[in-house]
Coordinates of all heavy atoms in Angstrom, one line a residue:
G1 N 0.8 -1.2 0.0 CA 0.0 0.0 0.0 C 0.9 1.3 0.0 O 2.1 1.2 0.1
T2 N 0.2 2.4 -0.1 CA 0.8 3.7 -0.1 C 1.2 4.1 1.3 O 0.4 3.9 2.3 CB -0.1 4.7 -0.7 OG1 -0.5 4.3 -2.0 CG2 0.6 6.1 -0.8
V3 N 2.4 4.6 1.5 CA 2.9 5.0 2.8 C 2.9 6.6 2.8 O 3.5 7.2 1.9 CB 4.3 4.5 3.1 CG1 4.8 5.1 4.4 CG2 4.3 3.0 3.1
Y4 N 2.1 7.2 3.7 CA 2.1 8.6 3.8 C 2.9 9.0 5.1 O 2.8 8.4 6.1 CB 0.7 9.1 4.0 CG -0.2 8.8 2.8 CD1 -1.1 7.7 2.8 CD2 -0.2 9.6 1.7 CE1 -1.9 7.5 1.7 CE2 -0.9 9.4 0.6 CZ -1.8 8.3 0.6 OH -2.6 8.1 -0.5
Q5 N 3.7 10.1 4.9 CA 4.5 10.6 6.0 C 3.9 11.9 6.4 O 3.6 12.8 5.6 CB 5.9 10.8 5.6 CG 6.7 9.5 5.3 CD 8.1 9.7 5.0 OE1 8.5 10.8 4.7 NE2 8.9 8.7 5.1
I6 N 3.7 12.1 7.7 CA 3.2 13.4 8.2 C 4.4 14.3 8.4 O 5.4 13.9 9.1 CB 2.5 13.1 9.5 CG1 1.3 12.3 9.3 CG2 2.1 14.5 10.2 CD1 0.6 11.8 10.6
P7 N 4.4 15.5 7.9 CA 5.6 16.4 8.1 C 5.7 16.7 9.6 O 4.8 17.0 10.2 CB 5.2 17.6 7.3 CG 4.1 17.3 6.4 CD 3.4 16.1 7.0
T8 N 7.0 16.6 10.0 CA 7.2 16.9 11.4 C 8.2 18.1 11.5 O 9.3 18.1 10.9 CB 7.9 15.7 12.1 OG1 7.0 14.6 12.0 CG2 8.1 16.0 13.6
V9 N 7.8 19.1 12.2 CA 8.6 20.3 12.4 C 9.0 20.5 13.8 O 8.2 20.3 14.7 CB 7.9 21.6 11.9 CG1 8.7 22.8 12.1 CG2 7.4 21.5 10.5
I10 N 10.3 20.8 14.1 CA 10.8 21.0 15.4 C 11.3 22.5 15.5 O 12.0 22.9 14.6 CB 11.9 20.0 15.8 CG1 11.4 18.6 15.7 CG2 12.5 20.4 17.2 CD1 12.5 17.6 15.9
R11 N 10.8 23.2 16.5 CA 11.2 24.6 16.6 C 11.5 24.9 18.1 O 10.9 24.4 19.0 CB 10.0 25.6 16.3 CG 9.7 25.7 14.8 CD 8.6 26.7 14.6 NE 8.3 26.8 13.2 CZ 7.1 27.1 12.8 NH1 6.2 27.5 13.6 NH2 6.9 27.1 11.5
A12 N 12.5 25.8 18.2 CA 12.9 26.3 19.5 C 13.3 27.8 19.4 O 13.9 28.1 18.4 CB 14.0 25.5 20.1
G13 N 12.9 28.6 20.3 CA 13.2 30.0 20.2 C 13.5 30.7 21.5 O 13.2 30.2 22.6
L14 N 14.1 31.8 21.4 CA 14.5 32.6 22.5 C 14.2 34.1 22.2 O 14.3 34.5 21.1 CB 16.0 32.5 22.8 CG 16.5 31.2 23.3 CD1 18.1 31.2 23.3 CD2 16.0 30.8 24.6
A15 N 13.8 34.8 23.3 CA 13.6 36.3 23.2 C 14.4 36.9 24.3 O 14.4 36.4 25.4 CB 12.2 36.6 23.2
Y16 N 15.1 38.0 24.0 CA 15.8 38.8 25.0 C 15.5 40.2 24.9 O 15.5 40.8 23.7 CB 17.3 38.5 24.8 CG 18.2 39.3 25.7 CD1 18.2 39.2 27.1 CD2 19.1 40.2 25.2 CE1 19.0 39.9 27.9 CE2 20.0 40.9 26.0 CZ 19.9 40.8 27.4 OH 20.7 41.5 28.2
Q17 N 15.2 40.9 26.0 CA 14.9 42.3 25.9 C 15.9 43.1 26.8 O 15.8 43.3 28.0 CB 13.5 42.5 26.5 CG 12.9 43.9 26.2 CD 11.5 44.0 26.6 OE1 10.9 43.2 27.3 NE2 10.8 45.0 26.0
P18 N 17.0 43.6 26.1 CA 18.1 44.2 26.8 C 17.7 45.6 27.4 O 18.2 46.0 28.4 CB 19.2 44.4 25.8 CG 18.6 44.3 24.5 CD 17.4 43.4 24.7
I19 N 16.8 46.3 26.7 CA 16.2 47.5 27.2 C 14.7 47.5 26.9 O 14.2 46.7 26.1 CB 16.9 48.8 26.5 CG1 16.7 48.8 25.0 CG2 18.3 48.9 26.9 CD1 17.2 50.0 24.3
A20 N 14.0 48.4 27.5 CA 12.5 48.4 27.4 C 12.0 48.4 26.0 O 11.0 47.8 25.7 CB 11.9 49.6 28.2
N21 N 12.6 49.1 25.0 CA 12.0 49.3 23.7 C 12.6 48.3 22.7 O 12.3 48.4 21.5 CB 12.3 50.7 23.2 CG 11.4 51.7 24.0 OD1 10.6 51.3 24.7 ND2 11.7 53.0 23.8
L22 N 13.5 47.4 23.0 CA 14.2 46.6 22.1 C 14.1 45.1 22.4 O 14.3 44.7 23.6 CB 15.7 47.0 22.0 CG 16.6 46.2 21.1 CD1 16.2 46.6 19.6 CD2 18.0 46.5 21.3
S23 N 13.7 44.3 21.5 CA 13.7 42.8 21.6 C 14.5 42.2 20.6 O 14.5 42.5 19.4 CB 12.2 42.3 21.5 OG 11.4 42.8 22.5
L24 N 15.4 41.2 21.1 CA 16.2 40.4 20.2 C 15.6 39.0 20.2 O 15.4 38.5 21.3 CB 17.7 40.4 20.7 CG 18.3 41.8 20.9 CD1 19.7 41.7 21.5 CD2 18.4 42.6 19.6
L25 N 15.4 38.4 19.0 CA 14.8 37.2 18.9 C 15.6 36.2 18.1 O 16.3 36.6 17.1 CB 13.4 37.4 18.2 CG 12.6 38.5 18.9 CD1 11.8 39.3 17.9 CD2 11.7 37.9 19.9
A26 N 15.5 34.9 18.5 CA 16.2 33.9 17.7 C 15.4 32.6 17.7 O 14.7 32.3 18.7 CB 17.6 33.6 18.3
E27 N 15.4 31.9 16.6 CA 14.6 30.6 16.5 C 15.4 29.7 15.6 O 16.0 30.1 14.6 CB 13.3 30.9 15.9 CG 12.4 29.7 15.8 CD 11.0 30.0 15.2 OE1 11.0 30.4 14.0 OE2 10.0 29.9 15.9
I28 N 15.3 28.4 15.9 CA 15.8 27.4 15.0 C 14.6 26.5 14.6 O 13.7 26.3 15.4 CB 17.0 26.6 15.5 CG1 16.6 25.9 16.8 CG2 18.2 27.4 15.6 CD1 17.7 24.9 17.3
E29 N 14.6 26.1 13.4 CA 13.5 25.3 12.9 C 14.1 24.2 12.0 O 15.0 24.4 11.2 CB 12.5 26.1 12.1 CG 11.4 25.3 11.4 CD 10.5 26.1 10.5 OE1 11.0 26.3 9.3 OE2 9.4 26.5 10.9
T30 N 13.5 23.0 12.1 CA 13.9 22.0 11.1 C 12.7 21.0 10.9 O 11.9 20.7 11.7 CB 15.1 21.2 11.6 OG1 15.5 20.2 10.6 CG2 14.8 20.4 12.9
F31 N 12.6 20.6 9.6 CA 11.7 19.5 9.3 C 12.6 18.3 9.4 O 13.8 18.4 9.2 CB 11.2 19.6 7.8 CG 10.2 20.7 7.6 CD1 10.5 22.0 7.4 CD2 8.9 20.3 7.7 CE1 9.6 22.9 7.2 CE2 7.9 21.3 7.5 CZ 8.2 22.6 7.3
L32 N 12.1 17.2 9.8 CA 12.9 16.0 10.0 C 13.6 15.7 8.6 O 13.0 15.8 7.6 CB 12.1 14.8 10.5 CG 11.6 14.9 11.9 CD1 10.9 13.7 12.3 CD2 12.7 15.3 12.9
N33 N 14.9 15.3 8.7 CA 15.7 15.0 7.5 C 16.1 16.2 6.7 O 16.4 16.1 5.5 CB 15.0 13.9 6.6 CG 14.7 12.6 7.4 OD1 15.5 12.3 8.3 ND2 13.7 12.0 7.0
M34 N 15.9 17.4 7.2 CA 16.3 18.6 6.5 C 17.3 19.4 7.4 O 17.3 19.2 8.6 CB 15.1 19.5 6.2 CG 14.1 18.9 5.2 SD 14.8 18.6 3.6 CE 14.9 20.3 3.1
P35 N 18.1 20.3 6.8 CA 19.0 21.1 7.6 C 18.2 22.1 8.5 O 17.1 22.4 8.2 CB 19.8 21.9 6.5 CG 19.4 21.3 5.2 CD 18.2 20.5 5.3
I36 N 18.9 22.5 9.6 CA 18.3 23.4 10.5 C 18.3 24.8 9.8 O 19.2 25.2 9.1 CB 19.2 23.5 11.8 CG1 19.0 22.2 12.6 CG2 18.8 24.7 12.6 CD1 19.9 22.1 13.8
S37 N 17.2 25.5 10.1 CA 17.0 26.8 9.5 C 17.0 27.8 10.7 O 16.0 28.0 11.3 CB 15.7 26.9 8.7 OG 15.4 28.2 8.3
P38 N 18.1 28.5 10.9 CA 18.1 29.5 12.0 C 17.5 30.8 11.5 O 17.5 31.2 10.3 CB 19.6 29.7 12.3 CG 20.3 29.4 11.0 CD 19.4 28.4 10.3
R39 N 16.8 31.5 12.5 CA 16.2 32.8 12.2 C 16.6 33.8 13.3 O 16.6 33.4 14.5 CB 14.7 32.7 12.2 CG 14.2 31.7 11.2 CD 12.7 31.4 11.4 NE 12.3 30.5 10.4 CZ 11.1 29.9 10.3 NH1 10.2 30.2 11.3 NH2 10.8 29.0 9.4
F40 N 16.8 35.0 12.9 CA 17.2 36.1 13.9 C 16.3 37.3 13.6 O 16.1 37.7 12.4 CB 18.7 36.4 13.8 CG 19.5 35.2 13.9 CD1 20.0 34.5 12.8 CD2 19.8 34.7 15.2 CE1 20.8 33.4 13.0 CE2 20.6 33.6 15.4 CZ 21.1 32.9 14.2
G41 N 15.9 38.0 14.6 CA 15.1 39.2 14.4 C 15.3 40.2 15.5 O 15.8 39.9 16.6
I42 N 14.9 41.4 15.1 CA 15.0 42.6 16.1 C 13.7 43.3 16.0 O 13.1 43.5 14.9 CB 16.1 43.6 15.7 CG1 17.5 42.8 15.8 CG2 16.1 44.8 16.6 CD1 18.6 43.7 15.2
E43 N 13.1 43.7 17.1 CA 11.9 44.5 17.1 C 12.2 45.7 18.0 O 12.7 45.6 19.1 CB 10.7 43.7 17.7 CG 9.5 44.6 17.8 CD 8.3 43.8 18.4 OE1 8.3 43.7 19.7 OE2 7.5 43.3 17.7
Y44 N 11.9 46.9 17.5 CA 12.1 48.1 18.2 C 10.9 48.9 18.3 O 10.2 49.2 17.3 CB 13.2 49.0 17.5 CG 13.6 50.2 18.2 CD1 14.3 50.1 19.4 CD2 13.2 51.5 17.8 CE1 14.6 51.3 20.1 CE2 13.6 52.6 18.5 CZ 14.3 52.5 19.6 OH 14.6 53.6 20.4
K45 N 10.5 49.3 19.5 CA 9.3 50.1 19.7 C 9.7 51.6 19.6 O 10.4 52.1 20.5 CB 8.7 49.8 21.1 CG 7.4 50.5 21.4 CD 6.9 50.6 22.8 CE 6.8 49.3 23.5 NZ 6.2 49.4 24.8
I46 N 9.2 52.2 18.5 CA 9.5 53.6 18.3 C 8.5 54.6 18.9 O 8.8 55.7 19.1 CB 9.7 53.9 16.8 CG1 8.4 53.7 16.0 CG2 10.8 53.2 16.2 CD1 8.4 54.2 14.6
H47 N 7.4 54.0 19.3 CA 6.3 54.8 20.0 C 5.6 53.8 20.8 O 5.7 52.6 20.6 CB 5.4 55.5 19.0 CG 4.4 56.4 19.6 ND1 3.1 55.9 19.9 CD2 4.4 57.7 19.9 CE1 2.4 56.9 20.4 NE2 3.2 58.0 20.4
K48 N 4.8 54.2 21.8 CA 4.1 53.2 22.6 C 3.2 52.2 21.8 O 2.9 51.2 22.2 CB 3.3 53.9 23.7 CG 2.1 54.6 23.3 CD 1.3 55.2 24.5 CE 0.1 55.9 24.0 NZ -0.8 56.2 25.2
N49 N 2.8 52.6 20.6 CA 1.9 51.8 19.8 C 2.5 51.4 18.4 O 1.8 50.8 17.6 CB 0.6 52.5 19.5 CG -0.2 52.8 20.8 OD1 -0.1 52.0 21.7 ND2 -0.9 53.9 20.8
V50 N 3.8 51.7 18.1 CA 4.4 51.5 16.8 C 5.7 50.7 17.0 O 6.5 51.1 17.8 CB 4.6 52.8 16.1 CG1 5.2 52.6 14.7 CG2 3.3 53.6 16.0
F51 N 5.8 49.6 16.2 CA 7.0 48.8 16.3 C 7.6 48.6 14.9 O 6.9 48.4 13.9 CB 6.5 47.4 16.7 CG 5.8 47.4 18.0 CD1 4.4 47.5 18.1 CD2 6.5 47.2 19.2 CE1 3.7 47.5 19.2 CE2 5.8 47.2 20.4 CZ 4.4 47.3 20.4
L52 N 8.9 48.7 14.8 CA 9.7 48.3 13.6 C 10.3 47.0 13.8 O 10.8 46.7 14.9 CB 10.7 49.4 13.3 CG 10.2 50.8 12.9 CD1 11.4 51.7 12.7 CD2 9.4 50.7 11.7
R53 N 10.3 46.2 12.7 CA 10.9 44.8 12.8 C 11.8 44.5 11.6 O 11.5 45.0 10.5 CB 9.8 43.8 12.9 CG 8.9 43.9 14.1 CD 7.8 42.9 14.0 NE 6.9 43.1 15.1 CZ 5.7 43.6 15.0 NH1 5.2 43.9 13.8 NH2 4.9 43.8 16.1
T54 N 12.9 43.8 11.9 CA 13.7 43.3 10.8 C 14.2 41.9 11.2 O 14.3 41.5 12.4 CB 14.9 44.2 10.5 OG1 15.5 43.8 9.3 CG2 15.8 44.3 11.6
G55 N 14.5 41.1 10.2 CA 15.0 39.7 10.5 C 15.7 39.1 9.3 O 15.7 39.6 8.2
L56 N 16.4 38.0 9.6 CA 17.1 37.2 8.6 C 16.9 35.7 8.9 O 16.9 35.3 10.0 CB 18.6 37.5 8.8 CG 19.6 36.9 7.9 CD1 19.5 37.3 6.5 CD2 21.0 37.1 8.4
Q57 N 16.7 35.0 7.8 CA 16.5 33.5 7.9 C 17.5 32.8 7.0 O 17.5 33.2 5.8 CB 15.1 33.2 7.6 CG 14.8 31.7 7.6 CD 13.4 31.3 7.2 OE1 12.6 32.2 6.9 NE2 13.1 30.0 7.2
A58 N 18.2 31.8 7.5 CA 19.0 31.0 6.6 C 18.2 29.7 6.2 O 17.5 29.2 7.0 CB 20.3 30.6 7.4
Q59 N 18.3 29.4 4.9 CA 17.6 28.2 4.4 C 18.6 27.3 3.7 O 19.2 27.8 2.7 CB 16.5 28.6 3.5 CG 15.5 29.5 4.2 CD 14.5 30.2 3.2 OE1 14.9 30.6 2.1 NE2 13.3 30.3 3.5
G60 N 18.7 26.1 4.1 CA 19.7 25.2 3.5 C 19.0 24.3 2.5 O 17.8 23.9 2.7
N61 N 19.7 23.9 1.5 CA 19.3 22.9 0.5 C 20.2 21.7 0.6 O 21.3 21.8 0.2 CB 19.3 23.5 -0.9 CG 18.7 22.6 -1.9 OD1 18.9 21.4 -1.9 ND2 17.9 23.1 -2.8
I62 N 19.7 20.6 1.1 CA 20.5 19.4 1.4 C 21.0 18.8 0.1 O 22.1 18.3 0.1 CB 19.7 18.4 2.3 CG1 20.7 17.5 3.0 CG2 18.7 17.6 1.5 CD1 20.1 16.8 4.2
Q63 N 20.2 18.8 -1.0 CA 20.7 18.2 -2.2 C 21.8 19.0 -2.9 O 22.7 18.5 -3.4 CB 19.5 18.0 -3.2 CG 18.5 17.0 -2.9 CD 17.5 17.4 -1.8 OE1 17.3 18.6 -1.6 NE2 16.9 16.5 -1.1
K64 N 21.7 20.3 -2.9 CA 22.7 21.2 -3.5 C 23.8 21.6 -2.6 O 24.7 22.2 -3.0 CB 22.0 22.4 -4.1 CG 21.0 22.2 -5.2 CD 20.4 23.5 -5.7 CE 19.4 23.2 -6.8 NZ 18.8 24.5 -7.2
Q65 N 23.7 21.3 -1.3 CA 24.7 21.7 -0.3 C 24.9 23.2 -0.4 O 26.0 23.7 -0.4 CB 26.0 20.9 -0.5 CG 25.9 19.4 -0.3 CD 25.6 19.1 1.1 OE1 26.2 19.6 2.0 NE2 24.6 18.2 1.3
T66 N 23.8 24.0 -0.4 CA 23.9 25.4 -0.5 C 23.1 26.0 0.7 O 22.2 25.4 1.3 CB 23.3 26.0 -1.8 OG1 22.0 25.6 -1.9 CG2 24.1 25.5 -3.0
Q67 N 23.4 27.3 1.0 CA 22.7 28.0 2.0 C 22.2 29.4 1.4 O 23.1 30.1 0.8 CB 23.6 28.3 3.2 CG 23.0 28.8 4.4 CD 22.4 27.8 5.3 OE1 22.4 26.6 5.0 NE2 21.9 28.2 6.4
T68 N 21.0 29.7 1.5 CA 20.5 31.0 1.0 C 19.9 31.8 2.2 O 19.6 31.2 3.3 CB 19.4 30.8 -0.1 OG1 18.3 30.1 0.5 CG2 19.9 30.1 -1.3
F69 N 19.7 33.1 2.0 CA 19.2 33.9 3.1 C 18.0 34.7 2.6 O 18.0 35.1 1.5 CB 20.3 34.9 3.6 CG 21.5 34.2 4.3 CD1 22.6 33.8 3.5 CD2 21.4 33.9 5.6 CE1 23.6 33.2 4.1 CE2 22.5 33.2 6.2 CZ 23.6 32.9 5.5
A70 N 17.1 34.8 3.5 CA 15.9 35.7 3.2 C 15.9 36.8 4.3 O 16.1 36.6 5.4 CB 14.6 34.9 3.3
Q71 N 15.7 38.0 3.8 CA 15.6 39.2 4.7 C 14.1 39.6 4.8 O 13.4 39.5 3.9 CB 16.4 40.3 4.1 CG 17.9 40.1 4.0 CD 18.2 39.5 2.6 OE1 17.6 39.7 1.7 NE2 19.3 38.7 2.6
F72 N 13.8 40.1 6.0 CA 12.5 40.5 6.3 C 12.5 41.9 6.9 O 13.4 42.3 7.6 CB 11.8 39.5 7.3 CG 11.8 38.1 6.8 CD1 12.8 37.3 7.0 CD2 10.7 37.7 6.0 CE1 12.8 35.9 6.6 CE2 10.6 36.4 5.6 CZ 11.7 35.5 5.8
G73 N 11.4 42.6 6.8 CA 11.2 43.9 7.4 C 9.8 44.2 7.6 O 8.9 43.7 6.9
G74 N 9.4 45.0 8.6 CA 8.0 45.2 8.8 C 7.7 46.3 9.8 O 8.7 46.8 10.5
I75 N 6.5 46.6 9.9 CA 6.0 47.6 10.9 C 4.7 47.1 11.5 O 3.9 46.4 10.8 CB 5.8 49.0 10.2 CG1 5.5 50.1 11.3 CG2 4.8 49.0 9.1 CD1 5.5 51.5 10.8
G76 N 4.5 47.4 12.8 CA 3.3 47.0 13.4 C 2.7 48.2 14.2 O 3.5 49.0 14.8
M77 N 1.4 48.2 14.3 CA 0.7 49.3 15.0 C -0.4 48.6 15.9 O -1.0 47.7 15.4 CB 0.1 50.3 14.1 CG 1.1 51.2 13.4 SD 0.4 52.3 12.3 CE 0.9 51.6 10.7
Q78 N -0.5 49.1 17.1 CA -1.6 48.5 18.0 C -2.3 49.7 18.7 O -1.7 50.5 19.2 CB -0.9 47.6 19.0 CG -1.9 47.0 19.9 CD -1.3 46.0 20.9 OE1 -0.1 45.8 20.8 NE2 -2.1 45.4 21.7
F79 N -3.6 49.6 18.6 CA -4.5 50.6 19.2 C -5.6 49.8 19.9 O -6.5 49.2 19.3 CB -5.1 51.5 18.2 CG -4.1 52.3 17.4 CD1 -3.7 51.9 16.2 CD2 -3.4 53.4 18.0 CE1 -2.7 52.5 15.5 CE2 -2.4 54.1 17.3 CZ -2.1 53.6 16.0
K80 N -5.5 49.7 21.2 CA -6.4 48.9 22.1 C -6.5 47.5 21.6 O -5.5 46.8 21.6 CB -7.8 49.6 22.2 CG -7.7 50.9 22.8 CD -9.1 51.5 23.0 CE -9.0 52.9 23.7 NZ -10.2 53.5 23.9
D81 N -7.6 47.0 21.1 CA -7.8 45.6 20.6 C -7.5 45.5 19.1 O -7.6 44.4 18.6 CB -9.2 45.1 20.9 CG -9.4 44.9 22.4 OD1 -8.4 44.8 23.1 OD2 -10.5 44.9 22.9
F82 N -7.2 46.6 18.4 CA -6.9 46.5 17.0 C -5.4 46.5 16.7 O -4.7 47.3 17.2 CB -7.6 47.8 16.3 CG -7.4 47.9 14.9 CD1 -8.1 47.1 14.0 CD2 -6.4 48.7 14.3 CE1 -7.9 47.1 12.6 CE2 -6.2 48.8 13.0 CZ -7.0 48.0 12.1
Q83 N -5.0 45.6 15.8 CA -3.6 45.6 15.4 C -3.5 45.6 13.9 O -4.4 45.0 13.2 CB -3.0 44.2 15.8 CG -2.8 44.1 17.3 CD -2.0 42.9 17.6 OE1 -1.4 42.2 16.8 NE2 -2.1 42.4 18.9
L84 N -2.5 46.3 13.4 CA -2.2 46.3 12.0 C -0.7 46.0 11.8 O 0.1 46.6 12.4 CB -2.5 47.7 11.4 CG -2.1 47.9 9.9 CD1 -3.0 47.0 9.0 CD2 -2.3 49.4 9.5
Q85 N -0.5 44.9 11.0 CA 0.9 44.4 10.8 C 1.2 44.4 9.3 O 0.3 44.0 8.5 CB 1.0 43.0 11.3 CG 0.6 42.8 12.7 CD 1.4 43.5 13.8 OE1 2.6 43.7 13.6 NE2 0.9 43.8 14.9
Y86 N 2.4 44.9 8.9 CA 2.8 44.9 7.5 C 4.2 44.4 7.4 O 5.0 44.8 8.2 CB 2.7 46.3 6.9 CG 3.0 46.4 5.5 CD1 2.0 46.0 4.5 CD2 4.2 46.8 5.0 CE1 2.3 46.1 3.2 CE2 4.5 46.9 3.7 CZ 3.6 46.5 2.8 OH 3.9 46.5 1.4
A87 N 4.5 43.5 6.5 CA 5.8 42.9 6.4 C 6.2 42.8 4.9 O 5.4 42.5 4.1 CB 5.9 41.6 7.1
L88 N 7.5 42.8 4.7 CA 8.1 42.6 3.4 C 9.2 41.5 3.5 O 9.8 41.4 4.6 CB 8.7 43.8 2.8 CG 7.9 45.0 2.5 CD1 8.7 46.2 2.2 CD2 6.9 44.7 1.4
A89 N 9.3 40.7 2.5 CA 10.4 39.6 2.5 C 11.1 39.6 1.2 O 10.4 39.8 0.2 CB 9.7 38.3 2.9
S90 N 12.3 39.2 1.2 CA 13.1 39.0 0.0 C 13.5 37.5 -0.1 O 13.7 36.9 1.0 CB 14.3 39.9 -0.1 OG 15.3 39.5 0.8
Q91 N 13.5 37.0 -1.3 CA 13.9 35.6 -1.5 C 15.1 35.6 -2.4 O 15.0 36.1 -3.6 CB 12.8 34.8 -2.0 CG 11.6 34.6 -1.1 CD 12.0 33.7 0.1 OE1 12.8 32.8 0.0 NE2 11.3 34.0 1.2
A92 N 16.3 35.1 -2.0 CA 17.4 35.1 -2.8 C 17.2 34.3 -4.1 O 17.7 34.7 -5.2 CB 18.6 34.5 -2.1
G93 N 16.5 33.2 -4.1 CA 16.3 32.4 -5.3 C 15.4 33.0 -6.3 O 15.4 32.7 -7.5
L94 N 14.6 34.0 -5.9 CA 13.7 34.7 -6.9 C 14.3 36.0 -7.4 O 13.7 36.5 -8.4 CB 12.3 35.0 -6.2 CG 11.6 33.8 -5.7 CD1 10.3 34.2 -5.0 CD2 11.2 32.9 -6.8
G95 N 15.4 36.5 -6.8 CA 16.0 37.7 -7.3 C 15.4 38.9 -6.7 O 14.6 38.9 -5.9

C-alpha cells in the first residue's frame, strides 16, 4: 500500500529584551531529515503603539549543499484591541 508521511517540524526560540524598547529574537526550525533553519530578528518600539521589525533567515538545501538567506522587514501598530501588521520579505532564489 501507499505510505504517507506526516511532516514533522521542530522549533525552539529565545527572546531577550536588553532595554525596554528593544527585543532580540532567535529561533531554529527543522523539518525531519532537513537542515536546520536559523532565524534572527529585532523588534524596536519607536512609540508606545508602533513597532519596527527586521529579520534574517538561513535556508539550507540538502541536495545542492547550499545556503540561502531571506531578509524581512516590517512595521506593526496597535490601538487597544486593533492591530495592523505589515511585512516585506526577499527571497534570494527569486531575485
Side-chain angles (χ1 to χ4, degrees):
T2 304
V3 176
Y4 296 100
Q5 293 184 342
I6 298 172
T8 303
V9 179
I10 299 172
R11 286 186 183 153
L14 295 171
Y16 176 62
Q17 193 170 19
I19 59 175
N21 292 348
L22 182 68
S23 296
L24 306 174
L25 310 142
E27 179 183 68
I28 57 171
E29 173 188 82
T30 185
F31 287 84
L32 293 184
N33 302 327
M34 294 296 289
I36 290 175
S37 176
R39 301 170 180 172
F40 305 97
I42 298 172
E43 178 182 81
Y44 184 69
K45 186 193 307 187
I46 61 173
H47 185 268
K48 69 177 186 172
N49 298 329
V50 181
F51 306 87
L52 292 178
R53 299 180 183 105
T54 187
L56 180 68
Q57 176 183 1
Q59 301 168 319
N61 185 320
I62 202 165
Q63 287 82 20
K64 295 181 181 179
Q65 295 295 312
T66 60
Q67 189 86 355
T68 60
F69 293 92
Q71 298 89 28
F72 302 89
I75 187 169
M77 291 178 249
Q78 181 175 1
F79 303 98
K80 296 185 181 182
D81 292 336
F82 178 76
Q83 291 185 18
L84 177 64
Q85 310 290 335
Y86 184 78
L88 297 170
S90 72
Q91 295 289 332
L94 298 175

